[in-house]
Amino acid sequence: MREPRSSMTPDSPQQARLIDGRATAARVRAEVARQVAVLAARHGVTPGLAVVLVGDDPASEVYVRNKGKQTREAGMRSFETRLPASTSQHELLAHVARLNADKAVHGILVQLPLPRQIDELAIIDALAPEKDVDGFSIINTGLLAARGSGMIPCTPLGCLLLLKEYVGDLGGQRALVVGRSNLVGKPMIQLLLREHCTVTVAHSRTRDLAEECRRADILIAAIGKPGFIKGDWIRPGATVIDVGINRISEPSSEGSRDRLVGDVDFDAAVRVAGAITPVPGGVGPMTIACLLKNTVTAACAQNRIDPGSLSG
Ligand code: GUN
């Protein structure tokens, strides 16, 4: 756990500690690379991650390129498939079946969202659960909810690693998760429960969101609405994890320019919170780092290797 932030002089504006997701993600990737080297040297196993991109969504293109690059940098094998936007569900299911059967592939990620003609849930549930490094399949969802085990979705896992590093023991903390998506909100609730937090979930029908936020020691915002959570909703000293990555257009000397912002009004929240993730540079880098971590976990499980035996 990090040292508490130093006290401010009476007239200096309150400034939360910045949660440095880039630094934590770099440490996770370095540990993954070390484990990959041990797996190769002791067991002759090189973890392989297959990423499937259907269509040409520009944001997905960037994510997939970064995933491939970081997979290779960690010493793992990267398998990338790009399929046209017109791909049918039947064709994608056939591709998933080939990856499920491929012994060199330990983890499979089908980039979401998928084109309209494809039923996302049918694809997710066709993944072999032991290769589902996103942790989205019904088996892994059930394992997390009922047993606190299984493959853990990467973004919530990244948030949890940041919380453990910057808060330490989470037991008894009041945690509010804003957003109930299958990708982030729901698995985040389960992870915080596993850590013995008192968990509340807020969503679009929540009656007084500001009041719910003011009660939270830990606030996780995952709604995809730029600057939606206001500074005066934050409990003084709270830890704020902003999962939102929203591209907004702002006026500039050249006309307009794009900027990434989170779901929290950062400039106001940073004066109230005890610690906060910036956007970019907070949760974002943790997602791919946790994907690499999950791929090592998957490779170990498929080769009956205790991941604990890879520790330095
Ligand atoms: N699209 C946006 N985030 C994710 C993710 O975590 N996994 C997959 N498969 N697609 C995504």
Side-chain angles (χ1 to χ4, degrees):
M1 182 189 151
R2 293 284 170 101
E3 288 296 305
R5 79 195 135 100
S6 56
S7 58
M8 305 285 160
T9 56
D11 51 359
S12 69
Q14 192 84 346
Q15 178 80 23
R17 272 184 305 152
L18 292 187
I19 297 177
D20 188 346
R22 288 197 181 107
T24 306
R27 281 196 292 279
V28 172
R29 289 197 306 271
E31 173 62 8
V32 165
R34 207 190 53 71
Q35 292 178 328
V36 168
V38 174
L39 271 174
R42 281 198 211 145
H43 302 279
V45 171
T46 300
L49 173 64
V51 175
V52 182
L53 175 61
V54 186
D56 43 23
D57 175 68
S60 293
E61 275 278 352
V62 174
Y63 287 134
V64 166
R65 211 177 316 127
N66 284 337
K67 283 168 188 163
K69 180 170 175 281
Q70 293 186 30
T71 302
R72 288 185 293 275
E73 283 172 359
M76 300 197 269
R77 295 182 74 190
S78 169
F79 305 90
E80 261 175 53
T81 313
R82 281 152 202 272
L83 299 171
S86 59
T87 301
S88 70
Q89 178 162 325
H90 180 76
E91 287 166 327
L92 186 54
L93 283 171
H95 187 63
V96 165
R98 279 193 293 277
L99 294 173
N100 280 344
D102 187 339
K103 291 263 187 294
V105 171
H106 302 97
I108 307 170
L109 180 144
V110 179
Q111 184 68 30
L112 304 176
L114 289 168
R116 212 171 297 166
Q117 72 276 14
I118 300 177
D119 175 357
E120 279 185 2
L121 294 180
I123 301 301
I124 288 168
D125 287 335
L127 297 169
E130 67 276 15
K131 296 191 178 187
D132 167 31
V133 281
D134 260 328
F136 295 158
S137 68
I138 199 73
I139 296 284
N140 283 311
T141 304
L143 282 172
L144 178 58
R147 301 192 190 159
S149 65
M151 201 68 80
I152 307 216
C154 307
T155 300
L157 178 57
C159 294
L160 180 68
L161 295 180
L162 292 176
L163 283 171
K164 284 192 161 177
E165 184 171 343
Y166 281 81
V167 178
D169 180 15
L170 305 181
Q173 299 258 346
R174 281 181 199 272
L176 176 70
V177 178
V178 188
R180 53 176 159 175
S181 69
N182 288 335
L183 271 65
V184 182
K186 286 183 194 160
M188 194 73 240
I189 295 162
Q190 300 299 344
L191 285 177
L192 292 166
L193 278 176
R194 202 177 72 169
E195 297 298 321
H196 313 292
C197 290
T198 300
V199 184
T200 304
V201 57
H203 46 74
S204 51
R205 306 275 180 94
T206 294
R207 241 180 277 138
D208 191 346
L209 180 58
E211 242 351 88
E212 295 293 346
C213 289
R214 287 188 190 109
R215 275 195 278 274
D217 303 312
I218 293 170
L219 191 148
I220 316 266
I223 45 177
K225 292 186 178 173
F228 190 78
I229 309 277
K230 306 302 174 208
D232 65 350
W233 299 4
I234 310 281
R235 183 184 183 85
T239 301
V240 178
I241 304 288
D242 192 346
V243 182
I245 302 179
N246 309 290
R247 191 173 293 280
I248 60 163
S249 198
E250 279 186 336
S252 75
S253 51
E254 301 98 59
S256 76
R257 79 190 156 115
D258 281 3
R259 189 163 75 96
L260 290 183
V261 298
D263 292 344
V264 177
D265 177 356
F266 180 86
D267 293 343
V270 76
R271 293 166 182 274
V272 187
I276 185 168
T277 54
V279 177
V283 174
M286 293 299 291
T287 298
I288 300 184
C290 289
L291 174 66
L292 304 182
K293 188 174 160 64
N294 279 352
T295 306
V296 169
T297 304
C300 286
Q302 285 157 51
N303 288 281
R304 302 195 191 292
I305 297 165
D306 173 10
S309 72
L310 307 177
S311 299

